[in-house]
Amino acid sequence: MARELNKLSAVQVKQASAGKYSDGGGLWLTKADRDSGSWFLRVVVHGRRREMGLGSIADGSLKEARDEAAKWRAVVRAGGDPIKERERQRRDAARNLHLLKDVAEDAFEARKAELKGDGKAGRWFTPLELHVLPRLGKTPVADIDQIDIRDTIAPIWHTKAETARKALNRLNIVLTHAAALGLNVDLQAVEKARALLGKSRHKAENIPAMPWADVPEFYASLTDGNVTHLALRLLILTGVRSRPLRFIREEQIDGDVWTIAGGDLKGRKDATAEFRVPLSTEALAVIEQARRHARDGFLFPSVREGVVSDMTLGMYMRRAKLDARPHGFRSSLRDWLAECNDAPHEVAETILQHVAGTKVTRAYRRTDFLEQRRVLMERWANHVTGGAGKVVQLAEART
């Protein structure tokens, strides 16, 4: 029998042309061409010949194929069917996917296609990772009840209400995923835990915003011409959120329009969606200044790698001993639109990339009010630059 085994060598496996080659003992190599091929095991089970795939040559070496073949030949000698046995083992492995940590990771993988950037930013999984899994991750998901959930969330229920809410929502999705896997879980456990936790004492606080009348003075102080100053200037002038501003790329700008991809827009699951931002004369001047700092296509790069961080912009304002934060300039702009202009509600909300109108009216609307927004953003730039409407010359960046 020994002479009938191990007929092939690793060199033969690599160099063999298209065809079938026996290694002995029912192990075969089939090659479509010189660079690709696969292993299969031919056995006789209860008088019937069966062929069992063992994977490609790219996934396993000759030795690994022989070890796998030997394992399944032993099943045949014991009177079993290796193909059915392998399927049984796979089902058992699936059933063993029972710890909360494993189910949570599996649920995350299943939902990635629905998440912005396939969830690479980590925001979907983070509430679970930080506040649930450290305590319950190694608990069988079928054993988790409302008491476990209450005790896990209670430390942040009154102090980090939004984070607690997200953690509970994610956990509910994980339990639903576990039920779909065939695991015996209590699908009402999260709602029961909410009832046990009671009403949160946490009061939501708005992000501090600078009064619109004070914005020109702050804008005039941003004269260094460095990445931080320029990024804050463009943030103020456009009213966009921090992420699209920080990740702005040269190719997104066409004339006096900046087109933001859907992947950088809050609440947009469709990566093909876009939002057009009209650029005022002042905004174009800031972008021209920023081109001096551009790296890898990004107008606002960080000192080391990637782009300037949200923390960097916020830290600058804290060091200036200001209560306001960068995101608050959106509120400054919205208040100015309400108090100093006759802008229709839909136009003003669209400037901030907010969804305006009912689902029905949005379905029939085919405009993004670009021209109306262009006029308003030019007026805003005039206000921000002191009312004169002149482009403020920025100083050269400090070294």
Side-chain angles (χ1 to χ4, degrees):
M1 182 70 175
R3 291 192 301 272
E4 296 179 3
L5 296 175
N6 303 340
K7 296 179 180 180
L8 300 175
S9 68
V11 173
Q12 287 176 305
V13 171
K14 182 177 181 180
Q15 297 183 350
S17 56
K20 288 184 179 180
Y21 303 88
S22 172
D23 187 54
L27 177 61
W28 286 79
L29 166 67
T30 178
K31 297 197 72 173
D33 53 49
R34 180 168 176 168
D35 297 325
S36 62
S38 59
W39 301 101
F40 71 90
L41 179 64
R42 184 176 290 166
V43 294
V44 176
V45 179
H46 307 312
R48 290 190 305 150
R49 192 173 77 175
R50 308 292 302 275
E51 290 187 354
M52 180 181 189
L54 300 181
S56 72
I57 59 175
D59 297 330
S61 66
L62 173 59
K63 181 182 183 303
E64 289 171 328
R66 287 170 175 168
D67 291 343
E68 191 77 359
K71 178 177 74 173
W72 297 119
R73 282 195 294 263
V75 173
V76 174
R77 288 195 299 272
D81 184 330
I83 296 177
K84 290 184 178 180
E85 175 63 18
R86 183 167 63 181
E87 287 303 313
R88 185 192 66 77
Q89 291 181 10
R90 286 174 176 172
R91 289 194 298 270
D92 288 347
R95 280 195 290 269
N96 287 334
L97 185 70
H98 67 289
L99 299 184
L100 180 63
K101 177 180 182 296
D102 297 329
V103 178
E105 290 174 351
D106 197 55
F108 180 45
E109 287 295 324
R111 293 183 64 86
K112 276 186 176 180
E114 305 174 28
L115 305 175
K116 185 183 296 182
D118 285 340
K120 291 179 181 177
R123 294 183 179 179
W124 192 93
F125 201 72
T126 299
L128 291 172
E129 190 173 43
L130 294 182
H131 302 289
V132 177
L133 297 183
R135 179 166 182 154
L136 296 178
K138 296 182 179 180
T139 304
V141 70
D143 293 345
I144 294 175
D145 61 19
Q146 62 268 29
I147 305 298
D148 297 319
I149 298 172
R150 179 201 62 184
D151 294 345
T152 299
I153 298 298
I156 61 171
W157 184 242
H158 297 295
T159 58
K160 298 179 179 179
E162 182 62 16
T163 300
R165 182 190 67 81
K166 290 180 179 179
L168 287 175
N169 288 346
R170 306 294 195 270
L171 182 55
N172 195 54
I173 290 171
V174 171
L175 293 179
T176 302
H177 187 80
L181 288 172
L183 300 174
N184 184 23
V185 297
D186 181 1
L187 291 177
Q188 301 300 317
V190 170
E191 287 307 312
K192 294 174 183 175
R194 291 185 202 273
L196 293 175
L197 286 163
K199 186 176 180 179
S200 174
R201 292 191 297 270
H202 178 80
K203 292 184 179 180
E205 296 181 359
N206 293 326
I207 296 175
M210 184 176 293
W212 59 262
D214 296 340
V215 174
E217 181 180 357
F218 175 72
Y219 186 88
S221 71
L222 302 171
T223 58
D224 279 1
N226 58 32
V227 167
T228 300
H229 281 206
L230 291 170
L232 283 169
R233 282 195 160 201
L234 194 60
L235 188 75
I236 293 169
L237 290 166
T238 58
V240 300
R241 292 183 174 87
S242 171
R243 178 180 170 79
L245 184 283
R246 293 183 296 109
F247 282 86
I248 184 173
R249 297 180 63 87
E250 180 71 37
E251 63 265 24
Q252 294 177 334
I253 301 167
D254 183 10
D256 62 354
V257 175
W258 165 24
T259 302
I260 303 174
D264 287 330
L265 294 171
K266 182 179 180 180
R268 304 288 181 91
K269 296 180 180 178
D270 183 3
T272 64
E274 295 179 337
F275 181 76
R276 297 189 297 172
V277 180
L279 298 170
S280 63
T281 304
E282 176 72 9
L284 289 171
V286 171
I287 289 171
E288 187 60 34
Q289 292 271 347
R291 286 189 171 106
R292 299 194 314 245
H293 303 285
R295 188 179 69 228
D296 299 329
F298 294 108
L299 293 182
F300 299 126
S302 68
V303 176
R304 294 182 178 84
E305 59 181 2
V307 299
V308 64
S309 70
D310 203 22
M311 184 178 296
T312 297
L313 303 183
M315 186 62 69
Y316 175 83
M317 298 187 71
R318 280 191 286 271
R319 287 173 178 167
K321 301 188 184 305
L322 296 170
D323 293 330
R325 295 294 174 261
H327 188 81
F329 288 117
R330 289 167 53 80
S331 294
S332 307
L333 170 58
R334 189 63 182 87
D335 290 345
W336 177 84
L337 287 167
E339 296 178 21
C340 301
N341 293 271
D342 55 357
H345 174 77
E346 292 84 356
V347 177
E349 288 297 287
T350 302
I351 286 176
L352 299 180
Q353 305 101 58
H354 287 163
V355 176
T358 66
K359 185 176 181 179
V360 174
T361 59
R362 294 198 304 271
Y364 283 95
R365 184 186 302 151
R366 293 294 184 268
T367 180
D368 62 357
F369 306 110
L370 181 66
E371 295 307 317
Q372 295 97 315
R373 289 188 289 127
R374 190 190 306 279
V375 173
L376 289 168
M377 297 313 290
E378 195 66 50
R379 290 181 191 170
W380 171 244
N382 289 345
H383 165 70
V384 166
T385 56
K390 296 180 180 180
V391 176
V392 177
Q393 182 61 42
L394 302 180
E396 293 294 319
R398 294 178 179 174
T399 57

